[in-house]
Amino acid sequence: GGSSGSDDTKGSGGDTIKVGFSQLGAESGWRTANTDSVKAAFTKDKGFDLTFVDAQQKQENQIKAIRDFIDQGVDAIAFSPVVETGWDQVLQEAKDAEIPVVLVDRTVKTSVSDPYATYIGNDFEKEGETAVAWIKKNAADAKIFELQGTLGSSAQVDREKPVDSELGSQIVGKASGNFTRAEGKAATEAALQAYPNMTMIVSHNDDMALGAIEAIEAAGKKPGTDIKIVSFDGVRDGLQALHDKKINYIVECNPVYGDQIADLVKKVVNGEDVAKSTIVPDEAFDQTITQETIDARKY
Ligand code: GYE
């Protein structure tokens, strides 16, 4: 709503597009890079009027932010859902208000029909499969402790699926570190006590892996050797630890797709056809990574 300009294509010199973005938090290097990319894409000179709200990893904060966006009559809502379930009501409210929703990064499970206009993010299940393939080839008999991301988030659920289905008998234990360095460290401290036979940690992101490295070193063991580490994201600190041989393998998850989100928002607001889903491509890195690659990393 609220359009009154003369140009009927929004965001192209005529009306600006009012966008509410509910980011789930600032829990990791990945998230900070994603937020920077979003803020750089939704600027005034690119035709946007952005309201950005950080939910600090609390679903209730996200629901409140989305309701505020609906009350403000924004042209579009973009959000990264912290967990998969619990969105039915607020998605229905956005739908009733005829405000298009662009789902970013994580997916939802909902009974609302046609709950969002489009989704953009990475393929977490494929990332998990890439990790499994490396483990099977390079550490086939590993005894695995799985350091899980935020429980019930699609990033946790989908990365874990292939690990469980293909390496299930080798998993000695699991605990969540909520995608943060501090909780990753604490969960690893407890796991080192509980599962002294573990030889590998599969960490659902680099930040938790970096916390795990601290815990392993404090226990007098060598990360990357005594306990191998496989991780996800590929933020610079993670890649540096890979180069330093403290992490063994990292499956990339690319957070820099703000421009693509902005493009989708513009199209959806202007009633153009868009694909239901856009998948951001990822690579993977082993310890042969060069220092130049790491130094060139923007996040
Ligand atoms: O891997 C992690 C972040 O949803 C892909 O969330 C994202 C994940 C990412 O906290 O670092």
Side-chain angles (χ1 to χ4, degrees):
S3 114
S4 59
S6 50
D7 189 335
D8 55 5
T9 303
K10 285 203 153 214
S12 60
D15 280 345
T16 54
I17 299 176
K18 278 178 76 178
V19 183
F21 193 105
S22 167
Q23 180 60 288
L24 69 88
E27 73 284 0
S28 65
W30 189 98
R31 188 66 49 198
T32 312
N34 183 251
T35 289
D36 289 349
S37 176
V38 165
K39 286 184 176 168
F42 285 91
T43 57
K44 283 246 149 58
D45 53 293
K46 289 177 180 163
F48 296 99
D49 174 5
L50 174 70
T51 307
F52 180 94
V53 183
D54 173 348
Q56 301 180 310
Q57 295 222 79
K58 292 202 178 77
Q59 182 171 37
E60 71 223 59
N61 291 349
Q62 288 203 278
I63 292 173
K64 187 183 176 301
I66 294 168
R67 289 208 167 114
D68 289 346
F69 298 152
I70 295 170
D71 287 347
Q72 290 156 20
V74 296
D75 297 307
I77 292 168
F79 87 114
S80 292
V82 61
V83 290
E84 288 182 303
T85 59
W87 306 102
D88 293 2
Q89 216 179 320
V90 76
L91 284 172
Q92 188 62 52
E93 287 165 23
K95 196 176 165 180
D96 292 346
E98 293 175 28
I99 299 174
V101 170
V102 173
L103 198 60
V104 176
D105 166 29
R106 298 183 186 169
T107 51
V108 293
K109 283 185 180 142
T110 175
S111 58
V112 176
S113 69
D114 213 10
Y116 53 87
T118 187
Y119 162 78
I120 178 167
N122 313 72
D123 185 340
F124 304 134
E125 194 166 339
K126 190 164 163 237
E127 292 173 355
E129 282 162 9
T130 304
V132 166
W134 186 89
I135 294 167
K136 282 186 164 174
K137 193 158 177 258
N138 297 281
D141 56 357
K143 298 266 171 294
I144 299 167
F145 168 64
E146 196 158 6
L147 192 44
Q148 302 160 294
T150 302
L151 294 178
S153 69
S154 66
Q156 175 262 318
V157 172
D158 291 344
R159 284 175 182 159
E160 194 162 320
K161 260 181 215 161
V163 181
D164 282 5
S165 65
E166 297 192 51
L167 302 168
S169 63
Q170 292 169 240
I171 297 175
V172 297
K174 294 181 187 182
S176 175
N178 208 22
F179 284 126
T180 70
R181 200 180 283 220
E183 287 178 70
K185 183 180 179 191
T188 304
E189 280 164 1
L192 288 165
Q193 299 289 322
Y195 318 112
N197 61 335
M198 68 155 116
T199 62
M200 173 180 282
I201 295 177
V202 173
S203 172
H204 289 174
N205 81 347
D206 286 346
D207 288 81
M208 295 190 297
L210 293 162
I213 288 170
E214 290 177 29
I216 292 166
E217 288 178 337
K221 293 190 172 176
K222 253 184 122 180
T225 308
D226 299 330
I227 298 178
K228 294 190 165 66
I229 301 178
V230 172
S231 173
F232 299 87
D233 279 358
V235 296
R236 194 186 300 163
D237 291 354
L239 296 180
Q240 191 63 56
L242 180 69
H243 188 260
D244 296 344
K245 312 234 182 311
K246 295 181 178 189
I247 293 180
N248 301 77
Y249 191 61
I250 295 179
V251 181
E252 184 187 41
C253 184
N254 181 358
V256 184
Y257 53 87
D259 284 334
Q260 281 170 275
I261 304 170
D263 190 51
L264 286 168
V265 166
K266 200 168 272 188
K267 286 188 169 141
V268 162
V269 167
N270 287 305
E272 291 175 43
D273 281 342
V274 292
K276 238 350 321 159
S277 160
T278 305
I279 300 300
V280 179
D282 299 315
E283 300 177 50
F285 305 99
D286 64 18
Q287 290 178 339
T288 63
I289 189 168
T290 63
Q291 191 63 49
E292 293 85 77
T293 304
I294 298 168
D295 294 343
R297 203 78 173 163
K298 291 200 177 59
Y299 52 91

